[in-house]
Amino acid sequence: MEAAELRRAYEVLLAEVEAGGFGPPPDGRLSAEQIVAHLAANDELLTETTEAVIAGSPWAYYHLESIHRPQLDALVSQYCGLDGLATRLRATSQRLCALTERLGVKAETPVETVLREGLDLDVQESLPWGRALDLHGRVHLPAHTEELRALRSVRR
């Protein structure tokens, strides 16, 4: 993944967050606040893995949506809602993009990756780390961007 493409995906997503006007989520789905908290928490996991890859350390990346809900609610509280979470996501995404720029040939480093996000994304294999970041930028972020847009349309 090119860092510039990743930055663009974040810009589009953060523009949706800034637009606001979100309604409650459908049953079993995440609220706008929880989505942004999820992305900020995931950025931290991606950053840890990227730092390890750059340092040449063996690492595994596990992102399982179902284990994050209690942590998401804690983050929503910690950052005092959507505005604070958006600020946090800007910071975590900038750090991840800066590290992505530094990957170079290490983007080909295989990393055991477990990535599950709804029905659209289910990865359980060793992937070149650049490919995992590519999935994040091309699939994961756009899926949550669309989820935010849908929350705006269900506003009550």
Tab-separated table of all heavy atoms in Angstrom, residues 11 13-22 82-83 86 90 152:
chain	number	residue	atom	x	y	z
A	11	GLU	N	-8.607	10.341	4.863
A	11	GLU	CA	-9.211	11.661	4.641
A	11	GLU	C	-10.697	11.534	4.318
A	11	GLU	O	-11.522	12.288	4.838
A	11	GLU	CB	-8.484	12.400	3.519
A	11	GLU	CG	-7.121	12.915	3.913
A	11	GLU	CD	-6.322	13.439	2.727
A	11	GLU	OE1	-6.888	13.598	1.615
A	11	GLU	OE2	-5.113	13.679	2.913
A	13	LEU	N	-12.691	9.025	5.118
A	13	LEU	CA	-13.373	8.557	6.318
A	13	LEU	C	-13.536	9.687	7.334
A	13	LEU	O	-14.625	9.899	7.885
A	13	LEU	CB	-12.614	7.387	6.950
A	13	LEU	CG	-13.344	6.806	8.143
A	13	LEU	CD1	-13.482	5.314	8.007
A	13	LEU	CD2	-12.645	7.155	9.426
A	14	LEU	N	-12.482	10.436	7.577
A	14	LEU	CA	-12.551	11.522	8.558
A	14	LEU	C	-13.494	12.633	8.106
A	14	LEU	O	-14.136	13.283	8.939
A	14	LEU	CB	-11.154	12.058	8.862
A	14	LEU	CG	-10.336	11.128	9.773
A	14	LEU	CD1	-8.858	11.475	9.723
A	14	LEU	CD2	-10.864	11.172	11.205
A	15	ALA	N	-13.641	12.827	6.803
A	15	ALA	CA	-14.621	13.801	6.304
A	15	ALA	C	-16.036	13.356	6.660
A	15	ALA	O	-16.886	14.184	7.020
A	15	ALA	CB	-14.476	13.988	4.790
A	16	GLU	N	-16.288	12.056	6.580
A	16	GLU	CA	-17.595	11.530	6.992
A	16	GLU	C	-17.826	11.753	8.478
A	16	GLU	O	-18.917	12.134	8.897
A	16	GLU	CB	-17.711	10.036	6.679
A	16	GLU	CG	-17.916	9.724	5.234
A	16	GLU	CD	-19.177	10.337	4.653
A	16	GLU	OE1	-20.230	10.371	5.327
A	16	GLU	OE2	-19.115	10.803	3.507
A	17	VAL	N	-16.801	11.512	9.277
A	17	VAL	CA	-16.920	11.717	10.719
A	17	VAL	C	-17.230	13.186	11.002
A	17	VAL	O	-18.127	13.502	11.790
A	17	VAL	CB	-15.642	11.267	11.461
A	17	VAL	CG1	-15.691	11.633	12.934
A	17	VAL	CG2	-15.425	9.760	11.295
A	18	GLU	N	-16.504	14.077	10.360
A	18	GLU	CA	-16.697	15.515	10.580
A	18	GLU	C	-18.074	15.981	10.123
A	18	GLU	O	-18.629	16.924	10.693
A	18	GLU	CB	-15.604	16.302	9.868
A	18	GLU	CG	-14.251	16.140	10.541
A	18	GLU	CD	-13.107	16.748	9.745
A	18	GLU	OE1	-13.367	17.426	8.725
A	18	GLU	OE2	-11.960	16.545	10.151
A	19	ALA	N	-18.649	15.326	9.121
A	19	ALA	CA	-19.976	15.708	8.640
A	19	ALA	C	-21.035	15.471	9.720
A	19	ALA	O	-22.033	16.186	9.778
A	19	ALA	CB	-20.319	14.953	7.363
A	20	GLY	N	-20.808	14.468	10.569
A	20	GLY	CA	-21.706	14.216	11.696
A	20	GLY	C	-23.117	13.876	11.282
A	20	GLY	O	-23.363	13.407	10.181
A	21	GLY	N	-24.060	14.110	12.205
A	21	GLY	CA	-25.462	13.848	11.933
A	21	GLY	C	-25.842	12.385	11.950
A	21	GLY	O	-26.768	11.968	11.257
A	22	PHE	N	-25.155	11.594	12.743
A	22	PHE	CA	-25.386	10.156	12.760
A	22	PHE	C	-26.569	9.788	13.644
A	22	PHE	O	-26.771	10.373	14.705
A	22	PHE	CB	-24.139	9.420	13.258
A	22	PHE	CG	-22.923	9.711	12.431
A	22	PHE	CD1	-21.898	10.490	12.931
A	22	PHE	CD2	-22.827	9.244	11.134
A	22	PHE	CE1	-20.781	10.775	12.166
A	22	PHE	CE2	-21.718	9.527	10.356
A	22	PHE	CZ	-20.685	10.295	10.876
A	82	LEU	N	-17.545	11.609	20.039
A	82	LEU	CA	-17.094	11.585	18.649
A	82	LEU	C	-15.983	12.589	18.346
A	82	LEU	O	-15.023	12.254	17.646
A	82	LEU	CB	-18.287	11.817	17.721
A	82	LEU	CG	-18.086	11.503	16.255
A	82	LEU	CD1	-17.620	10.061	16.043
A	82	LEU	CD2	-19.372	11.741	15.487
A	83	ASP	N	-16.077	13.800	18.850
A	83	ASP	CA	-15.042	14.796	18.546
A	83	ASP	C	-13.675	14.377	19.081
A	83	ASP	O	-12.662	14.472	18.374
A	83	ASP	CB	-15.425	16.171	19.101
A	83	ASP	CG	-16.568	16.814	18.341
A	83	ASP	OD1	-16.842	16.400	17.195
A	83	ASP	OD2	-17.204	17.727	18.905
A	86	ALA	N	-12.408	11.466	17.028
A	86	ALA	CA	-11.932	11.895	15.706
A	86	ALA	C	-10.525	12.470	15.810
A	86	ALA	O	-9.659	12.187	14.967
A	86	ALA	CB	-12.891	12.913	15.098
A	90	ARG	N	-7.268	10.885	13.984
A	90	ARG	CA	-6.341	11.660	13.149
A	90	ARG	C	-4.898	11.382	13.567
A	90	ARG	O	-4.021	11.198	12.725
A	90	ARG	CB	-6.641	13.149	13.265
A	90	ARG	CG	-7.669	13.628	12.318
A	90	ARG	CD	-7.822	15.148	12.347
A	90	ARG	NE	-9.174	15.479	11.943
A	90	ARG	CZ	-10.218	15.552	12.759
A	90	ARG	NH1	-10.071	15.369	14.050
A	90	ARG	NH2	-11.413	15.823	12.299
A	152	ARG	N	-25.929	7.895	8.911
A	152	ARG	CA	-26.497	9.213	8.672
A	152	ARG	C	-27.876	9.080	8.032
A	152	ARG	O	-28.799	9.800	8.360
A	152	ARG	CB	-25.585	10.047	7.776
A	152	ARG	CG	-26.044	11.490	7.653
A	152	ARG	CD	-25.075	12.392	6.934
A	152	ARG	NE	-23.777	12.445	7.608
A	152	ARG	CZ	-22.658	11.879	7.147
A	152	ARG	NH1	-22.656	11.235	6.003
A	152	ARG	NH2	-21.542	11.969	7.815
